[in-house]
């Protein structure tokens, strides 16, 4: 498996006007790379932070079954209108992942909501509620990883697209902190550096953290 990817950060499917100011999607080409690497046709793919449905749409387009959870109801309505199997996208909370009766999965591919050390809002509520701080965010991510681990088949992988964040207050090592949280419940195989023509958060690259089941 290569440890370096060079991709163009473009999506072929435009968002409706109501969402265009909040286009934080990764492109389908990123998902397709890992679908080809870790799955085959007919396999089950999960995204617990489904967002605008990129993982699920790429999975369906590649002959896989895509399942997901999304907190924002408007996004859920939009994505369900695009899916062949809209019932596989749950309007819910990734922190309650184990409650949604998903089947065992061959690949979990997702990008969690980003946050900095000083962010006052709760990323898990689409930043609509006051948060409990950065340490609490990482604890919640650990609990989500535990639930993901319970859904992974023995040979499955979990891939997390994430970045460190640089702003006027300094650098939040989000990618490394999330890697540490995941490593407590899954086997961390390493990171793949993804270099983009444009990205954000003070960087031109992100990371795909690759985990596998301990089972």
């Amino acid at each position: 498996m290569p440890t370096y990817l060079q991709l163009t950060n473009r999506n072929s499917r435009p968002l409706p006007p109501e969402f265009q100011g909040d286009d934080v999607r990764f492109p389908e080409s990123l998902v397709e790379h890992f679908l080809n690497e870790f799955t085959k046709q007919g396999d089950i793919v999960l995204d617990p932070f489904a967002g605008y449905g990129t993982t699920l749409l790429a999975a369906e387009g590649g002959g896989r079954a895509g399942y997901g959870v999304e907190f924002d109801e408007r996004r859920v309505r939009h994505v369900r209108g695009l899916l062949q199997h809209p019932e596989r996208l749950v309007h819910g909370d990734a922190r309650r992942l184990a409650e949604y009766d998903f089947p065992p999965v061959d690949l979990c591919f997702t990008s969690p909501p980003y946050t900095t050390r000083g962010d006052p809002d709760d990323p898990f509520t689409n930043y609509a509620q006051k948060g409990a701080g950065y340490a609490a965010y990482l604890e919640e991510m650990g609990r989500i990883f535990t639930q993901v681990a319970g859904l992974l088949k023995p040979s499955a992988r979990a891939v997390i697209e994430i970045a460190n964040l640089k702003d006027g207050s300094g650098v939040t090592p989000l990618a490394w902190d999330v890697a540490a949280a995941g490593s407590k419940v899954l086997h961390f195989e390493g990171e793949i550096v993804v270099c983009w023509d444009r990205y954000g958060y003070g960087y031109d690259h992100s990371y795909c953290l690759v985990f596998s089941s301990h089972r």
Side-chain angles (χ1 to χ4, degrees):
M1 183 174 60
T3 58
Y4 172 93
L5 295 175
Q6 181 86 47
L7 294 175
T8 300
N9 200 354
R10 299 287 190 279
N11 285 280
S12 60
R13 184 181 288 105
L15 290 175
E18 65 176 307
F19 297 124
Q20 286 180 1
D22 184 38
D23 191 350
V24 294
R25 296 174 293 172
F26 46 68
E28 288 189 14
S29 59
L30 181 65
V31 187
E32 289 163 358
H33 173 85
F34 289 98
L35 291 177
N36 292 333
E37 187 74 34
F38 293 132
T39 69
K40 61 184 184 301
Q41 287 204 357
D43 279 356
I44 295 173
V45 180
L46 172 69
D47 187 345
F49 299 103
Y52 295 109
T54 304
T55 298
L56 277 67
L57 291 164
E60 287 192 342
R64 281 75 165 169
Y67 290 80
V69 178
E70 172 52 38
F71 184 86
D72 188 277
E73 187 174 7
R74 295 181 311 147
R75 293 180 182 179
V76 171
R77 288 197 301 267
H78 167 65
V79 177
R80 282 177 175 168
L82 302 173
L83 290 171
Q84 301 170 27
H85 295 279
E87 73 281 359
R88 293 175 179 169
L89 175 58
V90 173
H91 176 219
D93 190 325
R95 294 170 292 186
R96 300 172 58 190
L97 185 63
E99 300 178 17
Y100 298 129
D101 198 29
F102 288 123
V105 303
D106 299 282
L107 173 67
C108 173
F109 189 94
T110 194
S111 184
Y114 290 5
T115 189
T116 64
R117 285 171 170 156
D119 194 336
D121 300 320
D122 183 356
F124 300 112
T125 65
N126 198 25
Y127 310 95
Q129 299 175 17
K130 183 174 175 56
Y134 188 67
Y137 166 86
L138 294 173
E139 289 176 5
E140 291 284 14
M141 282 301 302
R143 286 189 276 271
I144 292 167
F145 273 114
T146 298
Q147 294 174 79
V148 168
L151 289 170
L152 292 180
K153 295 179 181 179
S155 59
R157 300 301 204 290
V159 179
I160 314 299
E161 193 269 338
I162 198 162
N164 296 321
L165 310 178
K166 184 189 298 182
D167 60 18
S169 63
V171 176
T172 298
L174 181 65
W176 309 143
D177 291 339
V178 168
S183 296
K184 294 177 181 178
V185 292
L186 292 168
H187 173 64
F188 181 42
E189 296 188 352
E191 77 280 5
I192 297 172
V193 181
V194 187
C195 291
W196 303 99
D197 59 327
R198 59 186 180 91
Y199 193 69
Y201 310 105
Y203 290 99
D204 56 7
H205 64 275
S206 65
Y207 302 93
C208 282
L209 311 175
V210 181
F211 299 89
S212 58
S213 173
H214 281 304
R215 293 177 294 168

